[in-house]
Amino acid sequence: MSAISLLDFESDIGKMEAAIELLRESDNDNTSDTLKQINALEKDKVSKLKHLYKNLSDWQVCQVARHAARPQALDYINALTEDFMELRGDRLYADDRAIICGIARFNDTPVMLIGNQKGTDTDGRVEHNFGMSGPEGYRKVLRAMEMAEKFNLPIISLVDTPGAYPGIGAEERGQSGAIGTCLLRSASLRTPFIVVVIGEGGSGGALAMSVGDHIAIMQYSVYSVISPEGGASILWKDGSRMEEAATLLGITSIKLKKLGLIDEIIPEPIGGAHRYHKEAIDSVKTSITTAMQRLLRLDTNVLLDKRQTRWRTFGQWKESSNV
């Protein structure tokens, strides 16, 4: 595992990793005493990581979900599928690189893939606009979904976006309409639709790709109506209260599962997916495989009825006599 940037709450882990690296550099011959010290520190580091990640606050989970080293859509696509053929453009305006769409084989089954790509370096983040799509991206998603329905391809959606791009140009080109059309159309797609939140699932930008039959979320991912910073700015006119907002929004996998908004929490390796890509990707593969096997056995009309009933019954409320 290559060195990764540490989050604010991982300072103790950083000190241990620095001590391990110093020991390795000071003893090129790897003597038994040095190896014992390294092994002891490695064991202690794993123990501290396990304790730390077991007790993360909601805001800390959000930080993990945003980690730059976390696997992105193309990492999953390249590792889990074969013969990937990307589809570009919305046939109206442009190709939005914040969203990747394409056909591939997953476990020898032809599928349609939809995923957010944030970029892994400066050039990539500029190209993919940090995973924030404009209306042309959602029209590309619509095109991909309808193609999947036409050719009976199950859809796999890999969600990882802070939200739809909020720029003036995006609004002028019909951002809200493009998202709304995706929501409406995906509710009636006559093909299995599997969703995995692999990082951030932010607002309508994520929901446009999430009206599926099986919604899974990785253990340290988040899924919310707005970012904690945005929620704090609206509620209290103070974006610095994001930790409080994160707690109130209920953005973590555990809270979402209790609310019934997601079906499955996909476990991550100790220390998060950004530390161990292969293990995280293998867990996602197991989840998708199980869900797809179940959904493919359903009659199409039953599948559609279950999906629409599910999404219509979301939400809770309390009646009050107070006016």
Side-chain angles (χ1 to χ4, degrees):
M1 182 187 67
S2 59
I4 60 169
S5 60
L6 296 171
L7 297 167
D8 293 342
F9 56 86
E10 295 179 317
S11 58
D12 288 345
I13 303 300
K15 292 175 183 177
M16 298 180 73
E17 290 179 343
I20 292 169
E21 189 61 29
L22 185 61
L23 282 170
R24 286 178 175 149
E25 291 177 353
S26 63
D27 188 356
N28 294 326
D29 295 328
N30 291 324
T31 61
S32 59
D33 287 343
T34 302
L35 287 175
K36 286 180 181 178
Q37 293 181 62
I38 291 173
N39 290 336
L41 281 170
E42 289 282 9
K43 186 176 180 180
D44 194 23
K45 186 185 84 170
V46 170
S47 177
K48 286 185 179 296
L49 270 175
K50 185 181 294 186
H51 177 75
L52 180 63
Y53 274 71
K54 187 178 179 180
N55 297 282
L56 294 178
S57 69
D58 291 10
W59 172 243
Q60 288 170 336
V61 172
C62 187
Q63 291 176 276
V64 175
R66 293 172 173 176
H67 199 289
R70 200 168 174 84
Q72 299 183 23
L74 283 175
D75 295 311
Y76 288 97
I77 291 170
N78 292 333
L80 300 182
T81 69
E82 298 178 345
D83 304 323
F84 177 64
M85 181 180 295
E86 187 176 355
L87 303 174
R88 295 201 178 195
D90 65 344
R91 295 183 174 175
L92 288 173
Y93 179 76
D95 179 47
D96 192 320
R97 303 299 297 144
I99 296 179
I100 305 296
C101 298
I103 299 169
R105 291 183 181 275
F106 175 82
N107 290 339
D108 291 328
T109 300
V111 297
M112 177 65 74
L113 290 150
I114 300 168
N116 302 110
Q117 184 71 14
K118 290 182 173 179
T120 57
D121 56 24
T122 301
D123 290 340
R125 292 180 186 111
V126 171
E127 176 189 355
H128 297 288
N129 199 31
F130 299 86
M132 297 184 292
S133 176
E136 46 276 6
Y138 296 109
R139 285 193 288 262
K140 180 167 67 170
V141 167
L142 178 64
R143 175 191 168 200
M145 291 192 301
E146 291 186 334
M147 182 182 293
E149 181 182 57
K150 180 177 181 179
F151 294 105
N152 297 315
L153 304 175
I155 300 169
I156 300 172
S157 179
L158 304 170
V159 177
D160 185 17
T161 178
Y165 182 60
I168 293 175
E171 296 296 337
E172 290 175 341
R173 297 192 301 275
Q175 182 76 291
S176 59
I179 291 173
T181 302
C182 279
L183 294 173
L184 181 64
R185 188 65 182 89
S186 55
S188 63
L189 289 169
R190 299 180 67 80
T191 192
F193 194 164
I194 298 168
V195 179
V196 182
V197 182
I198 59 174
E200 291 183 273
S203 193
L207 193 60
M209 302 164 58
S210 302
V211 183
D213 304 297
H214 182 82
I215 317 297
I217 183 171
M218 298 196 71
Q219 186 177 359
Y220 303 120
S221 289
V222 294
Y223 192 38
S224 65
V225 68
I226 194 171
S227 70
E229 298 93 332
S233 296
I234 291 173
L235 289 173
W236 304 297
K237 310 299 182 185
D238 183 2
S240 67
R241 294 176 67 178
M242 65 275 189
E243 295 185 40
E244 187 178 352
T247 302
L248 293 173
L249 282 167
I251 61 178
T252 63
S253 59
I254 294 174
K255 290 184 177 179
L256 292 163
K257 187 72 166 62
K258 287 181 179 179
L259 289 170
L261 297 175
I262 55 106
D263 301 298
E264 178 188 8
I265 299 173
I266 302 175
E268 295 190 30
I270 295 170
H274 58 283
R275 281 187 163 83
Y276 303 100
H277 283 206
K278 184 181 184 304
E279 290 84 347
I281 291 171
D282 287 345
S283 293
V284 170
K285 180 178 182 180
T286 299
S287 169
I288 295 174
T289 299
T290 303
M292 188 176 297
Q293 289 172 347
R294 175 177 61 84
L295 294 173
L296 286 173
R297 288 196 295 266
L298 294 177
D299 174 78
T300 301
N301 290 327
V302 173
L303 179 81
L304 195 58
D305 182 64
K306 283 179 173 291
R307 185 192 307 153
Q308 294 180 352
T309 299
R310 168 202 178 95
W311 287 90
R312 284 171 178 156
T313 54
F314 276 156
Q316 299 178 8
W317 67 91
K318 292 182 180 179
E319 292 186 3
S320 173
S321 59
N322 296 326
V323 179

